[in-house]
């Protein structure tokens, strides 16, 4: 074997060299529950629900903009569908591996069974009908078919009515995750069928510690 030289010990090319630069918000986005700093109550409740096999069929994540609602929704989708690094996990886990095909596909926004919709731009009843048309079909490769609807409060009244029927009688293979900044605009009939989590604004000390670890 050739002796190790200074060149062979050189670090990997930086993102600026490889052209694979990612903005910090994406690069350091939490990938599991342990990375959700400042949301201990949510993590504890979801972890206990997973361990006891008492998962709701619909989750409502609320909080101010930028607090991590969509990120949390994707982590929940991973937890529901992770099959483990060796592919033998047969149920949801509070510690998604991040390396199985389901985890990687969800992290890269390319999983066919995890569907995201921005209700701010698709507010009509036809949009919801198109989305829930696939509810009756079982997942292609995942354990659950997960529907993540961002800014859900922007849906029209007719769209909510179309969604309500499915929330009342959801198939066992479907989970809904709603994200919103304004719960007051969501009909009570929909709210009552969701398990609600209020994401807290992250404390300054927690932010400082996190930013410190990133800079190091």
């Amino acid at each position: 074997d050739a002796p190790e030289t200074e060149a062979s010990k050189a670090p990997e090319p930086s993102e600026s060299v490889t052209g694979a630069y990612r903005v910090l918000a994406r690069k350091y986005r939490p990938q599991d529950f342990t990375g959700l700093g400042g949301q201990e109550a949510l993590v504890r409740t979801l972890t206990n629900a997973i361990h006891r096999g008492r998962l709701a069929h619909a989750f409502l994540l609320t909080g101010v903009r930028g607090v991590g609602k969509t990120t949390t929704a994707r982590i929940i989708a991973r937890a529901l569908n992770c099959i483990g690094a060796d592919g033998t996990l047969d149920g949801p886990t509070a510690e998604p591996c991040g390396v199985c095909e389901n985890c990687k596909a969800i992290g890269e926004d390319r999983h066919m069974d995890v569907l995201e919709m921005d209700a701010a731009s698709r507010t009509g009843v036809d949009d919801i009908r198109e989305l829930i048309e696939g509810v009756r079909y079982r997942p292609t490769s995942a354990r659950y078919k997960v529907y993540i609807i961002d800014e859900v409060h922007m849906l029209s009244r007719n769209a909510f009515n179309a969604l309500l029927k499915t929330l009342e009688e959801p198939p066992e293979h479907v989970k809904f995750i709603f994200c919103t900044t304004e719960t007051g605009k969501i009909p009570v009939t929909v709210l009552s069928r969701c398990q609600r989590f209020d994401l807290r604004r992250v404390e300054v000390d927690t932010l400082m510690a996190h930013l410190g670890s990133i800079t190091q």
Side-chain angles (χ1 to χ4, degrees), residues 86-97:
D86 55 2
T88 60
L89 195 62
D90 60 357
T93 175
E95 300 175 354
C97 67

Side-chain angles (χ1 to χ4, degrees), residues 110-206:
R110 58 177 175 83
H111 203 296
M112 293 182 61
D113 296 318
V114 178
L115 309 173
E116 292 192 34
M117 171 181 153
D118 180 13
S121 57
R122 301 180 64 186
T123 63
V125 63
D126 291 337
D127 296 314
I128 286 296
R129 284 176 178 161
E130 179 183 340
L131 182 140
I132 62 178
E133 179 66 25
V135 165
R136 55 183 171 172
Y137 302 109
R138 298 194 64 84
T140 304
S141 59
R143 189 178 294 116
Y144 292 100
K145 185 172 286 189
V146 181
Y147 291 87
I148 300 173
I149 303 182
D150 205 5
E151 304 292 349
V152 69
H153 64 275
M154 299 289 287
L155 291 179
S156 67
R157 182 176 297 276
N158 288 337
F160 274 122
N161 289 337
L163 183 62
L164 185 59
K165 179 63 176 177
T166 303
L167 287 179
E168 289 175 339
E169 301 174 6
E172 61 179 14
H173 60 269
V174 171
K175 300 290 184 184
F176 288 95
I177 307 177
F178 303 136
C179 304
T180 182
T181 55
E182 300 184 50
T183 55
K185 295 183 178 180
I186 300 176
V188 175
T189 49
V190 173
L191 288 174
S192 64
R193 288 166 173 80
C194 300
Q195 182 174 18
R196 174 173 169 172
F197 294 98
D198 291 85
L199 277 70
R200 300 169 50 201
R201 191 187 295 271
V202 182
E203 299 292 336
V204 174
D205 290 345
T206 303

